[in-house]
Every structure is written in structure tokens, then in C-alpha cells.
Amino acid sequence: LFEKPASGAADERPLLADVRSKVPLDWSSDGRFLLYSAQDSKNASDLWALPLTGDRKSFPVVQSSFDDIEGQFSPDGRWVAYASNESGRYETYVRPFPGSGGKWQVSTAGGTQPRWSPDGKAIYYVSLDNRLMAAPIRVASDARAVEVGAPVALFPIHLAVGGNIAVGGNL
């Protein structure tokens, strides 16, 4: 993973170099963490975070024998939404960041490409029948759990497909 100023005023510099294949996914709103997916020859994709200050030692966010993909930080940086095929099809989940804790399923009939609303009160995702869905999210009073409301279909969408296109709605 490399970093380069958008202005082009400086050359790229490495952020993380190892043998795993990596894809950057999101940057926390406070600029402290880079969320990325990593895959090696033995495992499915996992989600990792790279601190951008201090010792810069990356750590797993979601690590399993399944594909854990398409992660995104909540606007406040305390949660990560992602897709996983642990149920046998891709579903959208949310879990606390950083650290351990529970995970909550957001989608009910398959879902990929999760994105947080700007206020953090909903997660949008693409259903397996190519509809944009919205699921309300509320942080519990103890701030250790989320309450997920029933997803609502907003409208049908048409996604590009092909060999060089990331995982989409038709899986």
C-alpha cells in the first residue's frame, strides 16, 4: 500500500509492504486508520487496519476462513460495516472498531457494498437482486451494541459486471 499527495507535489511512499495482496478500502474520518482487505495464498480475504501514527503495526479487524470484504468505517470511526460470505452467501454486517465485541447482521436476504449514511444512522447496501437497500442503525445506550432496523428497498440499480469489476449484487 502506498500513499501519494493528491497534489502530486511529492512521490509516493510505502505505507505497508508484505507478501499479501492488499486493497485499500477506507480511511477513518479522523485520519488515524486505513482499512484494507488482505489475502494470501492460504486464506480468504480478511479486513485489516493500519494505524497511520505510532508504530504503524497493522491488526486484523475481521479475520475468518470466509471472505470478509468491502469494509467501511462509520462516520464516527467506532464501527465497521462489511460484507462476508460466512452464511453461504454475502451478507452485510457491522461490528465495533477497534477491538472485539459482537457483530450484527444488517442485510436479511443477502447484501454487499455497505456504505454508511453521513450521519451514521443507516447503512446502505446492494441486495442480491440489485436493489439499493437502507437499514436504520442505532447505537445502544451502552455504546457497545447496535440495533439494526428492518431494511427497506429504495430503488433498483444497474451495476457494471465483468472480469475486472469488484463483487457486485449478482453473486
Side-chain angles (χ1 to χ4, degrees):
L1 295 172
F2 291 85
E3 176 183 44
K4 183 174 183 174
S7 67
D11 289 335
E12 62 192 31
R13 66 182 183 95
L15 291 175
L16 178 64
D18 62 27
V19 298
R20 297 174 298 169
S21 175
K22 293 171 282 308
V23 175
L25 299 171
D26 198 13
W27 204 294
S28 63
S29 60
D30 61 9
R32 294 178 47 217
F33 296 96
L34 174 67
L35 186 65
Y36 66 96
S37 65
Q39 183 175 9
D40 60 32
S41 61
K42 300 175 200 158
N43 295 323
S45 291
D46 292 318
L47 298 179
W48 289 74
L50 176 66
L52 298 170
T53 59
D55 68 4
R56 294 186 173 222
K57 181 178 166 112
S58 60
F59 59 90
V61 175
V62 183
Q63 192 173 32
S64 72
S65 60
F66 303 101
D67 271 334
D68 305 306
I69 59 174
E70 303 172 339
Q72 188 185 40
F73 289 115
S74 62
D76 66 5
R78 295 179 40 214
W79 305 93
V80 169
Y82 65 100
S84 176
N85 65 352
E86 68 182 75
S87 72
R89 67 177 174 203
Y90 283 97
E91 296 283 358
T92 294
Y93 297 89
V94 65
R95 68 182 317 132
F97 178 85
S100 60
K103 70 176 176 200
W104 295 266
Q105 187 171 328
V106 175
S107 57
T108 57
T112 61
Q113 302 181 28
R115 298 291 180 266
W116 289 88
S117 64
D119 63 6
K121 294 182 179 181
I123 293 177
Y124 302 104
Y125 65 90
V126 177
S127 67
L128 297 184
D129 61 356
N130 287 325
R131 292 181 295 159
L132 185 63
M133 307 292 289
I137 300 290
R138 190 172 81 72
V139 176
S141 58
D142 66 2
R144 294 183 183 173
V146 294
E147 297 170 3
V148 180
V152 174
L154 300 178
F155 49 83
I157 59 173
H158 304 285
L159 298 173
V161 295
N164 292 328
I165 306 296
V167 173
N170 274 340
L171 298 177

